[in-house]
């Protein structure tokens, strides 16, 4: 959710957890290998190289309309090639028009929900839209859309002329040769989020906002998969100390979850090698 001015009044927040210094990466990160490597792009975005299949989830690499606390680990013009870009929903900190335009020349296909696909098609980008539960392949990676509840626009009269549906947003469950990765996207907590086969990594939307998991919901999801590494995102990137969606603090989460050592507080661009969780 990216709606300013909806937080209850109160004293201004003086402290904001901030990500570590960006670790830039370049073309070498896109080469084939014998492993699956994940890199946080800042914001809610990730780059995944699964044995040479390169894809990005919700990349924002240029043109964001709010001040940032981080620098981008790579710019759109530096990306050599992508098999796909996956977009969870239409908010501009996930579906970036400048970034998708910049990546279009080197991206084979954009995948998202049916609604976001319509936005991409209107811009004449190569895109495919899917329903929740649909599956598709990106090279050796199998992808399934998982449910989300992020239709916050309907709660604010006048925000949009369109009535949004829950299926306009999604998450993605990726099955790679080296394990499964779940990117739940932005969502309120759903029962389905607590009953999935345990993934080998969660790209963990960490945001104490009513239209995200909230801190309590984040703890529930984390403890539902007590051995799964949590790669935190949606925090430490945007300079907006009065705006809850961007202001979660990893130190708080670490005090509340089972096995806190599995929380991965990556710097933007830092490499994380996927490994199967022992079950």
């Amino acid at each position: 959710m990216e709606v300013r001015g909806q937080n209850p009044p109160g004293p201004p927040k003086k402290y904001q957890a901030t990500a570590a210094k960006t670790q830039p990466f370049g073309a070498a990160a896109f080469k084939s290998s014998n492993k699956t490597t994940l890199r946080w792009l800042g914001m809610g975005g990730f780059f995944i190289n699964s044995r040479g299949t390169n894809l990005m989830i919700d990349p924002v690499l240029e043109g964001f309309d709010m001040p940032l606390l981080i620098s981008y680990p790579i710019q759109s013009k530096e990306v050599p090639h992508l098999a796909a870009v996956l977009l969870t929903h239409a908010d501009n900190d996930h579906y970036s028009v400048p970034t998708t335009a910049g990546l279009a020349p080197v991206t084979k296909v954009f995948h998202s929900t049916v609604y976001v696909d319509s936005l991409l098609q209107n811009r004449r980008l190569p895109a495919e839209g899917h329903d929740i539960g649909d599956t598709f392949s990106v090279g050796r990676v199998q992808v399934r859309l998982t449910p989300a509840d992020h239709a916050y626009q309907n709660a604010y009269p006048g925000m949009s002329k369109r009535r949004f549906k829950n299926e306009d947003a999604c998450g993605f469950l990726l099955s790679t040769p080296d394990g499964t990765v779940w990117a739940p996207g932005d969502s309120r907590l759903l029962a389905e989020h607590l009953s999935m086969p345990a993934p080998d990594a969660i790209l963990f939307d960490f945001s104490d906002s009513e239209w995200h998991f909230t801190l309590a919901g984040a703890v529930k999801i984390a403890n539902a998969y007590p051995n799964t590494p949590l790669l935190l995102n949606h925090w430490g990137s945007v300079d907006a100390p009065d705006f809850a969606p961007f202001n979660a603090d990893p130190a708080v989460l670490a005090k509340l979850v089972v096995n806190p050592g599995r929380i991965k507080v990556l710097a933007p661009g830092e490499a994380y090698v996927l490994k199967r969780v022992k079950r």
Side-chain angles (χ1 to χ4, degrees):
M1 175 190 178
E2 319 316 333
V3 183
R4 300 302 302 272
Q6 298 296 339
N7 294 324
K13 186 175 181 179
K14 297 181 179 180
Y15 170 75
Q16 187 172 6
T18 304
K21 184 178 179 181
T22 294
Q23 299 180 16
F25 64 93
F30 293 77
K31 293 181 178 180
S32 186
S33 70
N34 61 357
K35 58 191 176 183
T36 295
T37 302
L38 299 86
R39 298 174 190 266
W40 182 38
L41 297 173
M43 316 283 273
F46 277 86
F47 167 58
I48 300 174
N49 180 341
S50 183
R51 303 194 178 204
T53 296
N54 293 292
L55 57 90
M56 288 185 175
I57 302 175
D58 290 350
V60 178
L61 305 178
E62 58 184 295
F64 191 58
D65 63 351
M66 295 173 65
L68 298 179
L69 297 168
I70 63 169
S71 58
Y72 301 117
I74 191 170
Q75 295 184 351
S76 302
K77 63 184 180 182
E78 299 171 324
V79 175
H81 53 83
L82 291 171
V85 170
L86 314 183
L87 301 171
T88 61
H89 63 293
D91 286 350
N92 72 343
D93 64 326
H94 295 262
Y95 165 45
S96 164
V97 171
T99 301
T100 51
L103 293 177
V106 296
T107 301
K108 289 185 178 179
V109 62
F110 295 84
H111 289 281
S112 190
T113 63
V114 172
Y115 169 62
V116 179
D117 172 61
S118 71
L119 304 179
L120 295 163
Q121 295 282 359
N122 286 342
R123 296 174 53 214
R124 301 187 182 278
L125 297 182
E128 295 183 14
H130 309 275
D131 294 320
I132 303 301
D134 283 356
T135 60
F136 58 90
S137 297
V138 179
R140 299 177 64 184
V141 179
Q142 303 295 313
V143 184
R144 176 168 64 86
L145 273 70
T146 60
D149 177 355
H150 198 56
Y152 64 88
Q153 297 90 340
N154 302 332
Y156 302 101
M159 173 174 283
S160 174
K161 295 180 180 179
R162 179 181 185 275
R163 182 156 188 86
F164 280 76
K165 306 173 184 177
N166 281 346
E167 57 265 33
D168 294 338
C170 71
F172 295 107
L173 180 64
L174 287 69
S175 298
T176 81
D178 302 295
T180 57
V181 179
W182 180 33
D186 290 4
S187 177
R188 294 195 287 192
L189 182 64
L190 298 172
E192 294 94 326
H193 292 151
L194 303 175
S195 58
M196 297 176 58
D200 296 299
I202 300 177
L203 310 183
F204 201 69
D205 169 29
F206 184 45
S207 172
D208 191 16
S209 162
E210 63 178 328
W211 289 97
H212 293 249
F213 293 143
T214 71
L215 177 60
V219 171
K220 287 182 180 179
I221 290 181
N223 290 342
Y225 310 101
N227 298 312
T228 297
L230 309 173
L231 281 60
L232 303 190
N233 66 86
H234 219 291
W235 75 282
S237 302
V238 178
D239 186 3
D242 60 341
F243 192 37
F246 294 130
N247 286 319
D249 186 343
V252 174
L253 184 67
K255 298 176 182 178
L256 300 173
V257 303
V258 176
N259 298 332
R262 65 202 170 96
I263 296 175
K264 307 301 178 185
V265 185
L266 300 176
E270 182 179 355
Y272 173 84
V273 176
L274 181 67
K275 297 180 180 179
R276 295 188 186 275
V277 172
K278 293 182 179 180
R279 298 177 174 86

